[in-house]
Amino acid sequence: MPVLEFGAATLAAEPRLPAAGQLDVWLIRRAQLETAAELLDLTELSEAERRRTASFVRPTDGVTYASAHVALRRLLGAYLGLAAQDVPFVREPCPGCAEPHGRPAVAHPDPPLHFSLAHSHGMAVVAVSRAVVGADVERLPRAETVEVCTPALHPGEQAELAALDDAGARRAAFGRLWTRKEAYLKALGTGLSRDPGHDYLGADPRRRPAGWTLLDLPSGPRHNAAVAVHGGAPEQVTVRWVPPLALYAGQAVDLDADGTVGVPVHRGAEGTTTGVSDWGA
């Protein structure tokens, strides 16, 4: 059974759970460093989250973490009809040892609400669905990262990268497959404790793990992002920005706000798309 970590739920509004077959993806930019201390509202975070925010050596990393977790709490609170500080987080059992340190979740009756949070270098992604979901975002990889990490990949992934003569194309392909891999491993609840070479998450969707849908997200010029969803392709996918003001004191997230930035990309052969991807500020 999941173990409750913190939060005594207080009803704030009517729940707004996603419909079956609906996937909502929210993109978050970190608050501006110059104004974060004054405007970013940390009162809704747990004591552990506030300690974590203060523990980062680089202030920008702390602000990115805080921005992501404020956004997560306000988003989940809006879906559940709860105050942000009352969202009841739990840890699911670990797939490896069954101890309660697996995938983060929220305690909620049927129908379930699943989420996944990722953040990296000034950007965060929150995915919300009734289906099990994993999300990842990463800064574009450096050439050294590709060189060091490629030997740990699935043999099929290594072969695809080796077939790319252009170094820039190789870095781009590695960035896409690595975010798919991390999103999938987060959805499983194992993270990188599972051998990253065990599962194929490369360019050919037919070779990817059965029973899962992998989507490349519109993520701008400096990041790659992806979502893994358990089951078939979602019937409705929305990718939107969380407005920066929604993170500040006295503000809230509007689940009906506009700000759609595009749709996920379904890739066939690497570089060939069957979906549309745009980017909006």
Side-chain angles (χ1 to χ4, degrees), residues 5-234:
E5 285 189 335
F6 48 81
T10 302
L11 190 65
E14 288 296 318
R16 292 278 307 277
L17 297 179
Q22 177 182 344
L23 171 64
D24 288 348
V25 180
W26 298 87
L27 308 178
I28 302 106
R29 290 194 184 98
R30 69 164 172 81
Q32 291 295 320
L33 189 62
E34 298 79 11
T35 58
E38 177 184 357
L39 298 177
L40 193 61
D41 187 2
L42 305 186
T43 62
E44 296 164 345
L45 301 184
S46 70
E47 181 59 34
E49 288 170 318
R50 289 193 290 269
R51 287 197 304 269
R52 178 65 174 147
T53 296
S55 71
F56 288 93
V57 174
R58 295 189 299 183
T60 52
D61 292 338
V63 174
T64 298
Y65 175 91
S67 300
H69 282 257
V70 168
L72 175 66
R73 282 181 168 273
R74 292 187 174 185
L75 284 165
L76 294 179
Y79 283 107
L80 294 169
L82 299 174
Q85 64 269 23
D86 291 334
V87 174
F89 286 99
V90 301
R91 283 283 184 175
E92 296 184 344
C94 171
C97 66
E99 292 297 317
H101 54 244
R103 183 177 54 234
V106 291
H108 190 268
D110 187 60
L113 179 71
H114 294 281
F115 75 90
S116 185
L117 167 67
H119 50 83
S120 174
H121 294 87
M123 182 175 175
V125 175
V126 174
V128 182
S129 174
R130 287 197 191 182
V132 172
V133 63
D136 188 50
V137 61
E138 302 285 345
R139 186 169 61 176
L140 296 181
R142 295 175 300 198
E144 306 92 290
T145 301
V146 177
E147 182 179 354
V148 169
C149 294
T150 294
L153 298 176
H154 184 281
E157 297 168 345
Q158 293 186 46
E160 288 175 2
L161 294 176
L164 297 173
D165 294 329
D166 180 72
R170 192 178 308 114
R171 288 172 59 198
F174 175 90
R176 289 191 293 268
L177 80 85
W178 187 261
T179 52
R180 290 183 212 124
K181 188 176 294 286
E182 288 231 36
Y184 172 67
L185 295 178
K186 287 176 68 175
L188 288 182
T190 63
L192 289 172
S193 65
R194 183 179 174 94
D195 180 359
H198 184 77
D199 306 289
Y200 173 87
L201 278 304
D204 186 353
R206 297 166 298 180
R207 299 176 60 189
R208 296 173 189 167
W212 291 86
T213 297
L214 277 298
L215 303 174
D216 295 336
L217 298 175
S219 47
R222 292 181 294 276
H223 292 81
N224 289 116
V227 172
V229 184
H230 189 241

